[in-house]
C-alpha cells in the first residue's frame, strides 16, 4: 500500500521538482495556491505526463520516463475527485455515480452505492442532471462517483472546500473509515490544516513546486513552523487514547492515556477502543501550579522538554506528560511571566468542548 | 465595345476559333457566354446584355421570338448536325440502323446512353428517331438519360454503356468511341442551330459578326468541327 | 391545387429521393463521425490531406465529382470492380450509385458540423471518465458522442438535405433513369430545360422543399430536446 | 508542365473567382453572424421559417436557385430594381451578381458552422460580462464573438470554398461572360461541353482545388492558433 | 446603503421564499449546501428573474414583479464573484481584470488596479490566460475582476473557499476595508463561521429555501443555537475594543474595554482606534475564583446572566463583564461541578493566541 513519487516537469515559468513516498494511509498534499498540488495529482492520476520521473504504487509502475512506461488513466484504478466537480452533464446523478462501477469486478467492489448516497445526503437528487445543482451538491456527487468506482488509489483535490461545516463533519469520518478500513491509499489536497490534522497519516508540504517538508503527520504537525503562513495557527499534537467508558452522570466519554484521564464529547465506543485526538497547540493553557474551580476538565501534569520561539511574540512549549508529547503555543510574554524553563513541571489544561476524536 | 454573344455550350471550340480569326481580320472582338440554351434564353428574357443568340435548337429561339426579344429579320438557320449511334472504341458491336433494327438485343442488359430525352435537343432528336424506326418502346426502359449529350458520350467512352446516341460532331472528336451508324436525316426533325440578333442589343458590330459566321473562314472552321453549314453566301 | 397533383413517375421520383437521401446519410454517418473525431482530436501525419480530401466535393464542380466517381466506381472503375466482386454491390446506374453520390457530396457538411461539436466537448470530462476506469472506446460512446449529439443531429440533417438536393454529381455518375436513379432534382432539372416546364418544376420544387423542411424542423426539435435534457431539471 | 499554362482569359477567370468568392464571403459574414446568433440564442415567432429559408439553397437544385435569383434580382426583378434605385447596385450579369449567387449558396454552410459554435459558448460567461456592466452589444463583441471564433473561421472558409466552387446558380443567374461573370467553375463547365476540352477542364480544376485547399489549410492553422491561445500559456 | 430583498421562486421541487433587509455593510448569507444561497444572489445580481418579489437598494428598484420592473444585470453596477470563477478564457488576466472598468465613470472608480493586483498576489500572472491557472489563482482573479469594476453592490459566493489560510488572512482585511471605507454593501455567501463572524455586519441564515434567522451579526452569533449543525461550534461574541498601546516589553497590543484590559497579537494602530474582536464561545474558560500562575493573559471578572442548555452535554453561559457581553460554551458537567447559577460572579479567561482583531 505504498506510493512512490518522483517528478520533474516544467509548466511555462513554473518548475515542478517533487519527490516523496508514502507508506499508505492518507497523504496530505499541503501548500499555498499555485504551489503545484493539482499538477502532482494530475500526474499520479495519469492526466498529465511528467517530463521525467517515476510513480509507482506497491511496486506497480504507473509512470517511468526512464523506461518510457505510461499506464493510461483508465488502467490505473484511481478515483479522482476533481477540484471542479467535472460531472457528466448529460447523465443523471445516478448514472454519474454508477459510471465507474461496471469496470470493477464484483469481488473488488467496496464503495456501496446506497451507503455512499445516504452518507453524502444526495438521495433526493438521484434523478436530476448536474447542470442546476448547487455547488456543494455537485461536489458531493463527485466524491460519491469516485468512491463508488471502488478505486485502488484515491486522489482528492480539495474535496470539502465547497461544503458547509455540518456536511464536512459528516463526511470526514467517512474518509477516515476509507483510510482505515478499506486500506486504500489516499492522496488528499487541502488548504485546511484542521482537515489535514484530522485526516492525514503523512503530510507533504509543497512550496513553489518543491517539497518543503514531508513525513508522518505527527512530526510535521508538531514542527509547526514548517507550515507556511497562517497555517501555523492550526498546528498541534496527535495522541492515542483508550476508551474507558461513557460517563452516565456527565454524559461525556472518558478516555485514558499515559498523561491521565480525558473527557471528550460523547461517542459510541467499546471499552479498549483506541482513538486519536488532535490537540491544537493554541488550545492548551499552561499553569505552573494546580488550579481549582475552573471549567476545563482536562488537566495533565507534565514537564517542559523544549521552548521553541516561533513568530515574534509567540513561543512553542513542548511538554512530556508521562510519555504523551504535547505542544502548546503561548505568548513569549506569558512564558517569561511564568518563568518557564526546560525541565520545569507544569499543568496543561484543555477544554472538553475544544476536543474531537478523529 | 466587344459584341456579346450568348451561344450554346457545344459551339465553344468552333466559335472561339472564329472569334479569333474575326478579331485578327477586322480588329473587332466578341465576348462569348457559353451555357445551356435554356439558361441563355431565360437570361435574355430577363434583360441580359446579349447582342446575338445562337441556340442549339429551334424551340428556345421560338420562345424568344414569341416574346419579341429577337430580331426575326436577322434569324437564320446557321448550322446542322447529325445524330449517330456510338459504341466504345474497343467494342465489336455491328448494327445497321434501319426500321425495327434490334437495338434492344444489341444492348443486352446494358444501357443506352442518351441526353435527356425530354429536355435536351440531342436526346429529343434521338428519341424521335428511335420512334420513327419503331424501336423506342423496346429500349425505353434501358435508356440512361444524361444531363447533356457530352455526358452521354462520356458514359459510352468509359464503357459504362455499350451504346449511346450523340451528335456526330462529338463522336468524331472522341477517340474512345466508334460510330456504329448514323441515323437517317428524315427519322427526326432537322437538327438546326439557329442564330439571331436580339432586340435589346445595341452593338452594331453584332450584325457584322453574324455575317462573318456565315462567311468562308467560318465555314471552314465549322466544317472542321463536323458541323453542316446551312446558311451561307 | 390541381396542378400540385403528381404523376406516378413523379411520385416515384419523390419516394426514390427520400430513400436515396436516407441511405446516403445513414451509411455515411459512421464514417462521418470517425473522420470528424480524427480531425478534432488526433494529430497525425496527413491530417491536412485528409481534411482537404473530405472538403473536395465542396470545392469541385459537382459535374467533376460525378465524373471522378464514374471513373472510380463505374463498371470498369477499380473501386467499382472491387465492390462488385467483394460485396456484390453495384453502383453504376443503380439507386445505390445515387446514394453514393449524395453521400460524397454531403460528406463535408456532415463532417464539419460533427467536428465542431466534438471540438466543443470539454476534454476534461473525457479525462474524468478515464479516471473512472472507462477505456477510450467506452468514453467515446458514453461521453463524447452524447455531448456532441446536437452537432451530430445538425450534421446529419444537413447532409440529408444536401443529399436530397444533390443533382450535378448524381446525374453525371448514374444518369437519370426513371424509377431507378431519377431523383427529384433530376426531374426538376428536366422541367427547367424545356420551354413551358416552369409549372412542373415549381410543383416538384415545392415538394422537395417540403420534405427537406420537415427534416430540418424535426432536427431542430430533436436538438433542442437533447440540449434541454442536458441543462437540467 | 506546359499544359498547366493558362490563357489570359483563364487567368481572368481565376482572378475573378477569387474576387467574387471573397466578396461573397465578406459581404455575407455580418448577416451570417447575425442570423446564426438569432437562431442560436433567441426564440421568436417564425424562427423555424427563418431557419428553413436559410437552408433553402442547400435543398434546391442550384439551377432553380439561380432562376429564382434571376427573377428576383434581375434587371426587371423587384429586388433588382430596388437595389439599383436605392443603392445604385446592379447584380444582373455583373460580377456582383456572381458574388450574390455564391453568397446565397454558401450561406447555409456559413450559418450552420457559426451557429454551432455560438451555441457552444457558455452563456454564464456572457452573464458574468453583464454583471461587470457590459451592455449586450459589447458582450456580444467581446465575449460571444471571440469565443465562437474558431467556428466563425470554419464557417467563413467553408463558405469561401463553396462560393469558389459554385456553378449551377451562378451560370443560371448571371450567365458565363468572360471577364465579367465567367468564374472558374463556369469555365470548367464550358470545357466539358466540347470535344477535347478535358485537358482544359482538368487544368482549371486543379487550380480551383489548389486555391480552395490553400484557404482551408489557412483556416485550420488560424483556428488552431485561436484555440491554442485560449488554452493558455 | 440599504438592501431590501423579498422573493418567491420555485426551482423544480425546491421552493425559495425569502425576505430580509440589510442596512448596508456586509450581509452574510449563511446556510447548508443547497439551501438557496446562490439562487438568492443570482436574483440580486439580475441573473435570475424571480417569479414574484421585489429587490431594491437605497430605494433604487432592481426588480419588482408587481410593476414588472426588471433592471438588466449590466445596469445594476454589481460586482459578482461567482462560486465558479467564470473568467473569460480568451482574455489575458489583465484584460479580465480591467473588463468592467471602462463602464465606470472616472469619478466613481475606487477599485485601484495596482493595489488590488498586489494584494491578491497576481502580479506575475497578468499576461497569462486563465485556462491553466490553478484553482486558487483563478478565484483571486475573479475577486479582482469584480472589485476593479468599482461596483455599487458586491455579491460574493464563497470567494475564499479555494484559498489557503495564508492567502485568506491577507484578503479578509481587504474585504473589511471595502466594507468599512468604500461603503459598498456586500452580500457574502460563506460556509465558514469564522469568516462570517469576522466579516459580517448582518447575517441571514438560510435553511431549505427559507430564512431561519436574520439580524445583526452580534445577535445571530450570540444566539448560537440558531446556526445549523456543526456551525454552532464556531459561535461567539463580538466586542468593541479601544487601542491603548503597543507594549514594548511583551510585544503585544494592549486594548481596553469595559471588561478590562486585553492582550492581543501585535498590530499597527493609533491610540483611540476602535477594533472589534470575535471571541469564540468555546475559547472561554471559566473559573470561580481568581487564578494565579496561568499562561492566559486575558482574565475578566463578570457575572452569569443566563445559563442556556444547548446540545445534550453542553451549556452556554452568558456573562456580563462590566457591560461587555460574552458567551462561553462549557460542558454541563463543568457547570454543575462549578455550581454555576444566574448572578454568580465568575472569571472568564481567554488565551491571547486565540484572539484576532477583525
Ligand atoms: N432549475 C432548477 N431546478 C430544480 N432545482 C434547482 C434548480 N436550480 C437550483 N435548484 C436547487 O435549488 C437548491 C438551491 O440551490 P443553490 O445553488 O441556490 O444552493 P446553495 O445554497 O448556493 O448551495 P451550495 O452551498 O451547495 O452552493 C438546490 O437544491 C438545487 O439543487
Ligand atoms: N500549462 C501551464 N503553463 C504555465 N503555467 C502553468 C501551467 N499549468 C499550471 N501552471 C502553473 O503552475 C502552478 C501550479 O498549478 P497547480 O494547479 O498545480 O496549483 P495548486 O497547488 O493546485 O493551486 P490551487 O491550490 O490554487 O489549486 C500555478 O502557478 C499555475 O499557474
Ligand atoms: Mg489546485
Ligand atoms: Mg451555491
Amino acid at each position: 500500500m505504498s506510493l512512490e513519487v518522483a517528478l520533474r516537469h516544467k509548466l511555462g515559468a513554473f518548475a515542478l521538482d517533487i519527490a516523496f513516498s508514502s507508506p499508505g494511509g492518507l497523504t496530505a498534499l499541503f501548500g499555498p495556491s499555485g504551489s503545484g498540488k493539482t499538477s502532482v495529482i494530475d500526474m499520479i492520476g495519469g492526466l498529465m505526463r511528467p517530463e521525467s520521473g517515476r510513480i509507482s504504487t506497491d511496486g506497480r509502475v504507473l509512470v517511468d520516463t526512464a523506461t518510457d512506461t505510461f499506464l493510461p488513466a483508465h488502467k490505473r484504478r484511481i478515483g479522482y475527485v476533481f477540484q471542479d466537480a467535472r460531472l457528466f452533464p448529460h447523465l443523471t446523478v445516478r448514472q454519474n455515480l454508477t459510471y465507474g462501477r461496471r469496470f470493477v469486478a464484483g469481488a473488488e467492489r467496496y464503495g456501496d452505492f446506497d451507503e455512499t448516497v445516504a452518507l453524502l445526503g444526495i438521495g433526493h437528487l438521484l434523478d436530476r442532471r448536474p447542470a442546476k445543482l448547487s455547488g456543494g451538491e455537485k461536489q458531493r456527487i463527485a466524491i460519491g462517483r469516485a468512491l463508488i468506482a471502488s478505486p485502488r488509489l484515491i486522489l482528492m483535490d480539495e474535496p470539502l472546500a465547497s461544503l458547509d461545516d455540518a456536511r464536512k463533519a459528516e463526511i470526514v469520518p467517512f474518509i477516515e473509515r476509507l483510510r482505515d478500513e478499506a486500506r486504500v491509499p489516499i492522496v488528499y489536497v487541502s488548504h485546511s490544516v484542521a482537515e489535514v490534522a484530522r485526516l492525514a497519516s503523512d503530510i507533504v508540504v509543497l512550496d513553489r513546486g518543491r517539497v518543503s517538508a514531508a513525513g508522518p503527520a505527527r512530526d510535521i504537525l508538531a514542527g509547526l513552523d514548517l507550515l507556511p503562513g497562517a497555517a501555523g495557527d492550526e498546528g498541534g499534537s496527535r495522541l492515542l487514547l483508550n476508551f474507558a467508558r461513557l460517563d452516565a452522570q456527565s454524559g461525556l466519554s472518558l478516555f485514558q492515556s499515559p498523561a491521565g484521564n480525558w473527557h471528550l464529547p460523547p461517542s459510541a465506543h467499546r471499552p479498549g477502543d483506541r482513538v486519536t485526538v488532535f490537540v491544537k497547540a493554541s488550545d492548551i493553557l499552561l499553569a505552573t501550579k494546580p488550579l481549582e474551580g475552573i471549567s476545563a476538565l482536562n488537566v495533565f501534569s507534565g514537564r517542559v522538554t523544549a521552548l521553541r520561539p516561533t513568530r515574534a511574540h509567540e513561543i512553542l512549549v513542548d511538554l512530556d506528560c508521562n510519555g504523551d508529547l504535547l505542544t502548546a503555543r503561548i505568548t513569549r510574554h506569558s512564558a517569561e511571566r511564568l518563568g518557564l524553563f526546560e525541565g520545569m513541571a507544569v499543568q496543561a489544561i484543555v477544554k472538553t468542548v475544544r476536543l474531537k476524536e478523529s | 465595345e466587344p459584341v456579346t454573344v450568348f451561344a450554346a455550350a457545344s459551339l465553344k471550340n468552333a466559335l472561339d476559333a472564329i472569334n479569333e480569326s474575326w478579331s485578327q481580320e477586322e480588329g473587332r472582338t466578341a465576348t462569348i457566354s457559353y451555357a445551356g440554351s435554356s439558361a441563355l434564353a431565360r437570361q435574355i428574357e430577363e434583360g441580359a446584355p446579349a447582342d446575338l443568340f445562337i441556340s442549339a435548337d429551334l424551340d428556345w429561339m421560338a420562345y424568344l421570338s414569341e416574346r419579341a426579344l429577337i430580331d426575326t429579320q436577322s434569324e437564320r438557320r446557321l448550322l446542322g448536325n447529325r445524330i449517330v449511334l456510338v459504341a466504345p472504341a474497343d467494342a465489336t458491336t455491328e448494327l445497321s440502323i434501319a426500321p425495327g433494327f434490334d437495338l434492344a438485343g444489341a444492348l443486352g442488359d446494358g444501357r443506352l446512353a442518351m441526353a435527356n430525352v425530354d429536355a435536351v435537343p440531342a436526346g429529343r432528336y434521338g428519341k424521335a428517331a428511335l420512334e420513327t424506326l419503331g424501336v423506342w418502346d423496346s429500349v425505353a426502359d434501358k435508356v440512361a438519360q444524361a444531363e447533356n449529350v457530352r455526358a452521354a458520350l462520356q458514359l459510352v467512352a468509359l464503357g459504362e454503356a455499350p451504346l449511346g446516341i450523340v451528335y456526330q460532331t462529338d463522336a468524331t472528336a472522341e477517340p474512345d468511341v466508334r460510330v456504329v451508324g448514323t441515323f437517317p436525316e428524315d427519322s427526326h426533325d432537322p437538327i438546326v442551330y439557329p442564330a439571331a440578333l436580339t432586340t435589346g442589343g445595341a452593338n452594331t458590330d453584332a450584325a457584322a459578326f453574324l455575317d462573318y459566321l456565315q462567311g468562308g473562314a467560318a465555314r471552314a472552321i465549322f466544317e472542321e468541327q463536323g458541323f453542316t453549314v446551312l446558311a451561307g453566301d | 391545387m390541381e396542378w400540385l397533383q403528381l404523376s406516378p413517375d413523379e411520385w416515384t421520383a419523390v419516394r426514390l429521393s427520400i430513400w436515396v437521401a436516407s441511405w446516403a446519410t445513414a451509411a455515411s454517418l459512421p464514417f462521418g463521425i470517425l473522420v470528424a473525431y480524427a480531425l478534432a482530436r488526433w494529430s497525425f501525419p496527413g491530417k491536412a490531406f485528409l481534411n482537404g480530401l473530405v472538403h473536395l466535393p465542396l470545392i469541385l464542380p459537382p459535374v467533376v465529382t460525378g465524373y471522378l466517381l464514374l471513373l472510380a466506381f463505374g463498371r470498369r472503375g477499380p473501386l467499382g470492380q472491387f465492390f462488385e466482386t467483394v460485396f456484390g454491390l453495384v453502383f453504376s446506374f443503380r439507386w445505390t450509385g445515387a446514394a453514393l453520390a449524395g453521400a460524397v457530396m454531403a460528406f463535408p457538411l456532415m463532417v464539419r458540423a460533427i467536428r465542431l461539436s466534438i471540438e466543443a466537448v470539454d476534454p476534461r470530462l473525457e479525462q474524468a471518465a478515464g479516471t473512472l476506469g472507462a477505456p477510450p472506446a467506452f468514453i467515446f460512446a458514453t461521453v463524447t458522442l452524447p455531448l456532441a449529439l446536437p452537432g451530430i443531429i445538425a450534421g446529419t440533417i444537413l447532409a440529408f438535405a444536401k443529399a436530397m438536393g444533390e443533382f450535378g454529381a448524381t446525374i453525371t455518375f448514374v444518369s437519370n433513369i426513371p424509377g431507378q436513379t431519377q431523383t427529384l432534382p433530376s426531374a426538376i432539372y428536366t422541367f427547367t430545360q424545356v420551354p413551358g416546364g416552369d409549372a412542373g418544376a415549381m410543383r416538384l420544387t415545392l415538394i422537395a422543399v417540403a420534405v427537406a423542411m420537415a427534416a430540418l424542423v424535426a432536427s431542430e426539435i430533436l436538438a433542442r430536446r437533447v440540449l434541454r435534457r442536458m441543462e437540467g431539471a
Side-chain angles (χ1 to χ4, degrees), chain A residues 9-16 31-42 48 83 157-158 189 191 206 209:
Chain A
H9 195 80
K10 272 192 97 68
L11 292 164
F14 180 81
L16 201 64
S33 167
S35 58
K37 306 180 295 296
T38 299
S39 306
V40 169
I41 57 172
D42 272 358
M48 265 167 90
Q83 196 166 2
D157 200 351
E158 303 185 33
V189 169
H191 293 129
L206 295 188

Side-chain angles (χ1 to χ4, degrees), chain C residues 142-221:
Chain C
T142 58
V143 178
T144 320
L145 218 52
L147 287 174
L149 203 55
I152 294 175
I153 294 172
T156 308
I157 296 299
L158 205 62
F160 178 83
K162 174 71 191 172
M164 276 287 296
E166 214 303 300
F167 158 67
T170 309
I171 197 167
T172 308
F173 180 29
V174 292
S175 218
N176 178 0
I177 305 168
Q180 296 202 48
T181 64
Q182 183 175 65
T183 57
L184 218 38
S186 306
I188 294 171
Y189 175 76
T190 304
F191 273 118
T192 63
Q193 294 305 298
V194 289
D198 293 4
M202 178 69 90
R203 196 171 59 216
L204 295 185
T205 299
L206 284 180
I207 288 172
V209 169
V211 172
M213 286 295 156
L216 274 177
V217 169
S219 84
E220 286 290 318
I221 293 172

